[in-house]
Amino acid sequence: MSVGYTLVNPATEEALREIVYTTAPELAQAVARARDAQRAWRRVPVAERVRVVGQMIPAFRAMADQVALDITRQMGKPLQEARNEINTMIDRAETMGRLAEAALADEPLPPKEGFTRFIRHEPLGVVLDIAAWNYPLLIAVNVIVPALLAGNAVLVKHARLTPLCGGHFAEAFRRTDLPPGLIAAVTLDHAATATLIRSGQVDYVSFTGSVAGGREVYGEVAHRFIDAGLELGGKDPAYVCEDANFEFAVANVVDGAFYNAGQSCCGIERVYVARSLFDRFVEAAVALVRQYRMGDPEDPGTTLGPLASRKGAVLVEQHVAEARAAGARVLTGGSPWRGRGFFCEPTVLTEVDHRMRVMGEESFGPVVGIMPARDDAEAVRLMNDSPYGLTASVWTEDMDRAARLMAELDTGTVYANRCDYLDPLLPWVGVKDSGKGCSLSPLGFRHLTRPKSFHLRTRTRSV
């Protein structure tokens, strides 16, 4: 394993900090401390776990200004969006705390004379959370808080682009009554992460990232009898029906496509619009997109920051250039960025089709293709024509129509008149290449525990 690397500010391309990898002896010590702490933590009543884990919330609030600035300087999110992420992360942590006791309670079975039977949800042990950079607090908290509430220890291996956020979680919990060592932040390269998974030192792996990365993680997990939760992204569609609330739909679809510079697994990347509404919708969407102000993410007036990496910016430029060459119309944006920073102009394309990568592969940037749909059947066919299945949204005032369409969509989450949002009371789950397992909601605790059957014969007699 190499010694480390230089963390770069994506807005300026200047060195931000030197990051040093966790050494093998340091990692072994962190794992040993986590396992020792977990043996005692698993015996702590759930209500007490909720109290202790909840102490991280005031700790994070006290750190909020520095955390937000670190997020912005690591991955380019405008500062106000970084502050919003802290608030949303806290809401999720509080919600999972409220769910924990009921979700983790013993499940009694129907009465049977002479017997007591129930199912207990026991912790797995040490959970490895490999978190992504695009929402570095939200993605991590989806695993960290429920894993701790379920009685596990957690190792946080944050993304290469946002390593400071793993430290933020460790520091927040250091200020609580959590047993020392129960959560630790580690900085590892791919090879060291793979070695850790194969080593037998962790009992569950949660990974958020690319499909290729998910396949690598799942391949490593296959060496052992442990499970993995995979959240792998999407190419999420929206369908705007002719009876949609027009202004509401345009504003929310555009925001769903360009928020966080389009770097959202559940952000809208392709839009299908009822043919009768198509020209009007495109005109209104382009007008909104042209209002984005691209620039320094630390400037309060900036509404579109850089992409987090040069690699991401190059991919978006390639998708747009290939689509243009294949006949797509670029209505706004689309010009390669020649200045400093990993910026991409917010781009709207029409005259696109599913042969183009921009409509089939994850772009993960500020670009969206818009196509007309002849009717509901064609819209559903186009929306399902994807190897991904994370979310999809339908925009209509007719809730019966929405329900019929949503039932036909092959995605983990379906929305009516909403998009690019996680409700922590609902399970976050993908189908097809968008992932495996689920997080959040009461069901999320199931993936961080194992069922244990208790079968007690309460009445015995001689034969």
Side-chain angles (χ1 to χ4, degrees), residues 104-110 115-122 451-456 458:
L104 296 168
D106 291 347
E107 296 183 35
L109 272 65
F115 293 89
T116 297
R117 300 168 301 165
F118 60 92
I119 301 167
R120 178 164 294 166
H121 300 283
E122 295 203 330
K452 184 173 183 178
S453 299
F454 284 72
H455 192 156
L456 291 72
T458 57

Side-chain angles (χ1 to χ4, degrees), residues 260-446:
N260 200 34
Q263 299 170 116
S264 176
C265 300
C266 59
I268 292 175
E269 294 210 8
R270 50 199 175 105
V271 181
Y272 307 98
V273 182
R275 191 175 295 276
S276 62
L277 202 63
F278 183 77
D279 291 341
R280 183 183 170 208
F281 181 92
V282 169
E283 181 181 7
V286 168
L288 284 179
V289 172
R290 286 177 173 157
Q291 294 177 21
Y292 279 94
R293 179 180 167 187
M294 187 169 65
D296 179 2
E298 295 183 42
D299 182 341
T302 294
T303 55
L304 191 77
L307 271 67
S309 69
R310 185 181 301 280
K311 179 181 177 181
V314 169
L315 179 63
V316 172
E317 290 180 2
Q318 290 174 344
H319 281 194
V320 173
E322 290 170 9
R324 192 199 302 264
R329 289 185 63 203
V330 180
L331 300 184
T332 188
S335 298
W337 180 253
R338 300 306 182 199
R340 173 167 286 197
F342 309 140
F343 289 91
C344 283
E345 294 181 342
T347 302
V348 176
L349 305 173
T350 59
E351 298 185 24
V352 290
D353 60 52
H354 282 208
R355 293 171 296 179
M356 301 173 182
R357 285 206 295 165
V358 77
M359 295 299 284
E361 297 182 12
E362 192 170 30
S363 301
F364 222 61
V367 56
V368 67
I370 309 177
M371 291 177 62
R374 182 175 56 252
D375 52 28
D376 289 354
E378 182 177 55
V380 169
R381 179 182 64 78
L382 291 169
M383 295 171 85
N384 284 337
D385 182 26
S386 172
Y388 298 100
L390 189 58
T391 80
S393 60
V394 176
W395 303 79
T396 175
E397 294 291 272
D398 183 343
M399 289 301 100
D400 290 335
R401 180 185 190 182
R404 288 194 304 272
L405 294 173
M406 292 160 72
E408 298 299 318
L409 297 174
D410 299 330
T411 61
T413 296
V414 285
Y415 304 101
N417 303 319
R418 194 170 206 179
C419 63
D420 192 26
Y421 181 81
L422 276 71
D423 184 334
L425 291 175
L426 292 170
W428 189 240
V429 56
V431 300
K432 297 188 280 188
D433 279 354
S434 283
K436 174 187 183 298
C438 81
S439 60
L440 302 177
S441 83
L443 295 179
F445 287 99
R446 296 293 187 263

